[in-house]
Amino acid sequence: MAPSTLHKIVVIDSHTGGEPTRVVMEGAPTLHGASLSDMRDDFMRNQSHFRASVINEPRGSDIIVGALVLPPVNAGSTASVIFFNNVGVLNMCGHGTIGLIRTMWYTKSIEPGVHRIDTPAGTVETMLHSSGDITVRNVAAYRYKHNVTLRLQNGQTVSGDVAWGGNWFYLCHDHGIPLHLGNLSQLQQFSWEIRRQLEANGIAGADGAEIDHIELTGPAHSAHNNGRNFVLCPGGAYDRSPCGTGTSAKIACLAADGKLRPGETWQQESITGSVFAGSFELVGEVVIPSITGNAFITAEINLVFESADPLMNGITTPTSMS
Ligand code: PYC
């Protein structure tokens, strides 16, 4: 076999309520751009090999969210972050922010206290509690459209709200599928069909933004919690956590319906049973959600790239649902 040249990228993995975050510690590409959004676009356009090789098989899987940590762009912030996955980038990621803060604590680069993190969606304020719990005070969330009905290919009609929680969500309550792990493939297919119909019917977020997260909501299984969700992520994987931006979107809808008041807690259960505690404050008329959860370190890894490896840049598959 011809000798390979080797290249290494150092990452630390964690999970937040079951959903993995892979923080790049060494070997990140240099990004260009005047703003974080420009750098996100540069990453998206010019670093897809890096993205796919860090996230996809054989080194990873489509459920991993990567975090590229950059110097802060705003005064008073600790760092900036660009989150990425098997198909692209995320504007913001709640579970990923909790994973990032846990990782920064693990590497002793921060202590308990308040840390602001700049994201392409805006600056979020995190609180690392000495207990290990992490609160993310998210960007402003809002319901954009109420009761949007969709006719699915099987003739079923569903309705839902379009809301922003740092990413765009369609939140559907009348799907009729019990939210438990035994129904995973049905939930994934169903959510993907909703996504297809949103696109086919030209239903989008503000400024025509693609609605790339589908959230099916239902009753909690535990009496301690207020609701359960199943969230389909942009690349076809489902969120093992209650989804921080999805919980924020849900809180915006509850606030719009008068079903949750400022300061009240909403215990959001995921399809795996993990929980985020959510609440919101009103700044003028604006809903600012906070979510609290925790994360655990799972691995410190040297990802190795051999130039002779035909799959060096990972296996890019069409999303499993397409
Ligand atoms: O926690 O916001 C979140 C998230 C988005 C996609 C996966 N997790």
Side-chain angles (χ1 to χ4, degrees):
M1 194 170 89
S4 270
T5 55
L6 295 182
H7 170 62
K8 288 187 185 174
I9 292 175
V10 181
V11 298
I12 295 183
D13 285 1
S14 62
H15 80 87
T16 308
E19 182 74 353
T21 306
R22 174 164 283 180
V23 179
V24 179
M25 306 301 295
E26 286 174 35
T30 303
L31 299 182
H32 303 283
S35 67
L36 204 49
S37 302
D38 290 346
M39 286 190 256
R40 172 201 59 198
D41 294 347
D42 181 47
F43 179 73
M44 189 62 196
R45 255 193 314 270
N46 301 317
Q47 300 295 340
S48 58
H49 285 331
F50 176 92
R51 180 183 57 71
S53 63
V54 168
I55 295 294
N56 290 350
E57 296 175 17
R59 289 178 197 81
S61 83
D62 61 4
I63 76 168
I64 297 177
V65 170
L68 205 60
V69 186
L70 301 165
V73 292
N74 291 322
S77 294
T78 303
S80 300
V81 63
I82 293 173
F83 292 110
F84 56 100
N85 62 16
N86 57 331
V87 290
V89 289
L90 292 165
N91 291 301
M92 175 34 208
C93 182
H95 95 267
T97 304
I98 292 173
L100 170 64
I101 292 295
R102 175 67 189 105
T103 300
M104 291 170 87
W105 191 26
Y106 178 73
T107 57
K108 299 190 169 37
S109 57
I110 59 169
E111 291 294 329
V114 173
H115 303 279
R116 290 187 185 81
I117 304 291
D118 301 325
T119 79
T123 300
V124 301
E125 185 175 283
T126 69
M127 173 71 181
L128 169 58
H129 304 267
S130 43
S131 64
D133 281 353
I134 294 161
T135 300
V136 180
R137 184 179 182 269
N138 199 359
V139 296
Y142 62 100
R143 179 160 70 188
Y144 179 61
K145 284 182 184 155
H146 185 38
N147 251 336
V148 178
T149 57
L150 281 177
R151 195 173 157 78
L152 307 182
Q153 219 168 25
N154 66 3
Q156 185 179 348
T157 299
V158 293
S159 56
D161 291 349
V162 176
W164 170 258
N167 292 300
W168 282 105
F169 288 82
Y170 179 81
L171 299 101
C172 173
H173 58 90
D174 57 0
H175 44 83
I177 310 172
L179 299 182
H180 62 74
L181 286 170
N183 290 337
L184 267 186
S185 69
Q186 195 189 354
L187 292 163
Q188 279 180 286
Q189 300 287 345
F190 190 89
S191 303
W192 200 263
E193 167 63 2
I194 288 180
R195 191 160 162 200
R196 249 197 303 264
Q197 292 307 328
L198 287 170
E199 197 183 331
N201 288 283
I203 298 166
D207 300 325
E210 185 181 9
I211 301 168
D212 56 3
H213 291 74
I214 309 301
E215 181 166 351
L216 307 183
T217 60
H221 287 194
S222 160
H224 298 295
N225 300 328
N226 301 102
R228 174 172 269 241
N229 69 18
F230 168 89
V231 176
L232 187 77
C233 296
Y238 73 93
D239 197 331
R240 276 67 174 164
S241 84
C243 191
T245 51
T247 299
S248 299
K250 172 73 183 172
I251 284 173
C253 295
L254 289 165
D257 287 333
K259 291 182 174 163
L260 191 70
R261 287 198 303 260
E264 279 181 349
T265 300
W266 177 268
Q267 294 277 123
Q268 182 65 62
E269 200 176 87
S270 73
I271 186 75
T272 66
S274 54
V275 178
F276 286 159
S279 63
F280 76 96
E281 64 199 87
L282 268 184
V283 177
E285 301 274 285
V286 177
V287 170
I288 309 287
S290 288
I291 52 153
T292 299
N294 53 32
F296 296 90
I297 301 296
T298 53
E300 295 184 56
I301 308 174
N302 279 323
L303 299 176
V304 177
F305 299 80
E306 283 201 76
S307 58
D309 179 357
L311 297 178
M312 182 176 79
N313 290 322
I315 302 170
T316 297
T317 50
T319 55
S320 49
M321 303 288 120
S322 50

